[in-house]
Amino acid sequence: MPIYNPPLRDMQFVMHELFKVTDEFRAMPRHADIDVDTINAILEEAGKFASQVIFPLNISGDTEGCQLNRETHEVTTPKGFKEAYQTYVAGGWPALSCEPEYGGQGLPLVVNQCLYEMMNSANQAWTMYPGLTHGAYAALVEHGTPEQKSAYLPKMVSGEWTGTMCLTEPHCGTDLGLLRTKAEPQADGTYKLTGTKIFISAGEHDLAENIVHLVLARLPDAPPGIKGISLFIVPKFRVNADGSLGERNAIFCAGLEHKMGIHGNATCQMVLDGAVGTMVGQPNKGMQAMFVMMNAARLGVGNQSLGLTEVAYQNALAYAKDRLQMRSLSGPKAKDKPADPIIVHPDVRKMLLTAKAYAEGGRALAIFCSVLLEKVHFHPDEKVRKDSEEMLSLLTPITKAFLTDNGWQATMMCQQVFGGHGYIKEWGMEQFVRDARINMIYEGTNTIQALDLLGRKVLSNNGATLKKFGKLVAQLVEEEGVNEKMAEFINPIAMLGDQMTKFTTEIGFKGMQNPDEIGAAAVDYLRVAGHLVFGYFWARMAQVALREIAAGNTDPFYAAKLQTARFYFAKLFPETASLMRTARAGAAPLMETELALA
Ligand SMILES: Cc1cc2nc3c(=O)[nH]c(=O)nc-3n(C[C@H](O)[C@H](O)[C@H](O)COP(=O)(O)OP(=O)(O)OC[C@H]3O[C@@H](n4cnc5c(N)ncnc54)[C@H](O)[C@@H]3O)c2cc1C
C-alpha cells in the first residue's frame, strides 16, 4: 500500500522562510493579524484530513469507479467518498479562503493552496469535486448578480452544493467558438438551455444535495464564434426565492466516460433539455466570466500534478531504500545484505531527485502564485494589484503546463524506480501515472497553454511582462553576483535571462513573417520559460539554505535543500539549451512534410 506524509516542513519553508508570507499579508488589512502559528496549525489539520480521510480511498476509488443509474440519471461515487465529503464539510474546509460575506473564513489563499496540494496528493479524483466548486465560486463572486450571489454562494461556501464547468461539446473542445448549446430567453427573465456537453467533471454525483453547473451557451441572436458565447447558472435542482431547493431541472447525466485515470471522479455527458438557467454577466461576454473559473482551474490543475509528484516521490524514495538489487558500481554498500538497496545506483537517484526537484520547485511556484492572487484581490495599492495580475497571467500557463509536464515525467520516473512492481496495481504507482496524464490535457491542453504564453502573454506586449520577471532575476543576480557560494545557482539564471530576450525577439520576428513559427516554437518556449522561473526559485531557495548554514543552523533540511538545488541546476536546467535549439529549428521541419504525413 502506498504511503503519504504531508510535506508540512517544506510548505513552511516556502511560506515563511522563502516568501515570508505573513510580512506580505501585513500590507493587506484583511490578513494583517494572521500569524505563522495559525497557518501552520491549520495546515497540520489539513494534512491529517488528506492523509487519514481521503488517501485511504484513493486505490479503492480507482478500482471501483463511479456508477450511473440510467433510469434515475443519478451517479454513485465510490464507497467512502460521500462520508469523506461529509467530514470535509463538517470540518469547514470548503470555506477556508472564501469571503466571510458568504460564510467563508476569509483565510489567505495560500492556506487553501497547501490544503489542495495535500488533497491532490492524497486523492486527485475525490479532490476534483470540491476543487471545481472553488472555481465556480470565484466566477460568481466576480460576475454574479447580487441575487445569484445570495442564492448560491453561501451553499457553495459551506460545501452543501458543488459546482461544475460545462464548456466542452462533442465537436468543440479547444475551439469553444464552435459551441452550439442554445439559450432561449423566457418572459420571466430566465433562459431555457438545450444542448449536449461532454467530459463534465463532477457533472453528477451523490456527495452534495445540489450541483451548480456553469454552462456556456449561445443566445438566438448571438454572433458566430467566441464573441457570441454567454454564461449561465443551471442548477441541478432549481432554487426557490427563499434559498430552498425547488424542482429538478432538465439537466441530466446521460453517460459516464470510461477513462485512463481519475476513476473516482464522474466524467459526465450532460444533456440539457430545456433546462432553466440565469445569465451570469453580460450577453455574449460569457468567456470573460468563464475565464475567472478557467484561470483558477489552470492553477488548480498545476497543483494536481504537484500533489501527484510529491506522493509518487515519497513512495519511490521509501521503495528505493528498501529494495535490494545488484551491487553499487563503486563497491558494496550494504555488506551485511545479499545486495545493495537500489538507491545506491546513480540513475535511480536521478529519477528520485528529478521528482523531488520538480515537487519542491513546483511548490515554490504554486505558493508564489497564490500570494500574487491574494494581492490581485486584496492589496490596497492599485499598482500592486495591477502588477500582480500581470505577473499572475504570465505565470498561469507556465504553472499549468510546466507543472503537469513535469508531473508526468516525475510520476513515470517514480514508477520506474519500482521496476516491474511499479506496473502492478497494488503498489499504487501506476495509478499516479494514469491520474497525472489528464492534467496535461484538460483545462486547455499544454500546447494551448504554450500558445497562450508565447502569443498572448509574451509577444502581444513585446515581452513587457516577461521583462518584469527578468527584473526579479536581475535583482537576485545583483544581490548575489559576488557571492562565490551562489555562483553555481546565479550564473545559469543570469545567462538564461540574457538569452531569453534574444530568443523571444527572434521567434517574434520569425512569427511576423510566418505565424506557424509561433506554433512550432511555443511548446519548447514554455519549457524554457518554466526553467527560468524554476531556476529563479531554486536559486532563492539555495540562498535561504546557504544563509541558514552560514549562521550555524545544522538542521539537515537546509543541506538537503542545497543538494537538491545543485542537482536541479546540474541535471535538469541545462535542458534549456536543447529546447532553444529545437525551437530555433523553426516551422519548416514540421510544415514541409506533406509526403512524410501523406
Ligand atoms: C477526464 C476529463 C475531464 C474533463 N473535464 C472537463 C470539464 O469539467 N469541463 C469541460 O468543459 N471540459 C472538460 N474536459 C474537456 C477538456 O478540457 C478537453 O478535452 C480539452 O480542452 C481538449 O479538447 P478536445 O478533447 O476537444 O481536443 P481538441 O480540441 O480536438 O484537440 C486535439 C489536439 O489538437 C491540438 N490542437 C487543437 N487546436 C490547436 C491549435 N490551435 N494549435 C495547436 N494544437 C491544437 C490539441 O492540443 C490536442 O492535442 C475534460 C476532459 C477529460 C478527458
Side-chain angles (χ1 to χ4, degrees), residues 128 132 164-175 198-202 259 262 267 438 441-448 451:
M128 287 171 70
L132 280 147
T164 73
M165 56 194 298
C166 299
L167 286 63
T168 307
E169 297 180 6
H171 57 283
C172 103
T174 302
D175 191 353
I198 62 163
F199 296 164
I200 305 308
S201 300
K259 52 196 194 284
I262 53 165
T267 306
I438 187 59
I441 297 174
Y442 60 18
E443 216 19 74
T445 63
N446 285 0
T447 306
I448 298 305
L451 289 169

Side-chain angles (χ1 to χ4, degrees), residues 408-548:
W408 172 240
Q409 286 183 22
T411 51
M412 274 200 301
M413 285 183 181
C414 291
Q415 179 192 31
Q416 188 81 5
V417 167
F418 279 70
H421 301 274
Y423 201 69
I424 304 302
K425 254 184 170 312
E426 70 186 87
W427 288 94
M429 299 307 285
E430 57 85 45
Q431 186 189 348
F432 298 141
V433 177
R434 284 187 289 106
D435 286 356
R437 187 65 184 90
I438 187 59
N439 301 341
M440 302 152 83
I441 297 174
Y442 60 18
E443 216 19 74
T445 63
N446 285 0
T447 306
I448 298 305
Q449 303 303 321
L451 289 169
D452 178 47
L453 175 72
L454 183 56
R456 288 186 54 228
K457 309 286 169 66
V458 174
L459 295 177
S460 73
N461 64 10
N462 291 321
T465 319
L466 184 69
K467 280 184 194 137
K468 284 189 185 162
F469 192 85
K471 263 195 192 156
L472 295 178
V473 175
Q475 264 166 22
L476 185 65
V477 172
E478 205 178 300
E479 227 175 277
E480 295 286 357
V482 291
N483 180 353
E484 269 178 32
K485 289 200 167 143
M486 280 293 288
E488 61 186 310
F489 313 117
I490 289 294
N491 292 347
I493 54 169
M495 196 159 91
L496 185 62
D498 285 347
Q499 289 171 337
M500 203 71 189
T501 312
K502 187 159 173 265
F503 181 50
T504 307
T505 314
E506 238 178 86
I507 298 172
F509 186 71
K510 281 183 9 185
M512 279 194 283
Q513 337 255 308
N514 173 10
D516 277 337
E517 293 288 348
I518 306 290
V523 170
D524 292 337
Y525 185 90
L526 185 141
R527 261 199 97 67
V528 176
H531 277 299
L532 182 68
V533 170
F534 262 40
Y536 169 71
F537 288 126
W538 266 114
R540 281 188 59 182
M541 291 195 277
Q543 182 187 38
V544 176
L546 279 169
R547 280 183 188 161
E548 288 298 322

Side-chain angles (χ1 to χ4, degrees), residues 550-578:
N553 193 332
T554 54
D555 182 345
F557 178 88
Y558 298 103
K561 192 59 89 180
L562 213 50
Q563 289 178 356
T564 313
R566 287 201 177 108
F567 165 81
Y568 171 74
F569 279 104
K571 295 286 188 188
L572 301 179
F573 187 88
E575 180 193 11
T576 48
S578 70

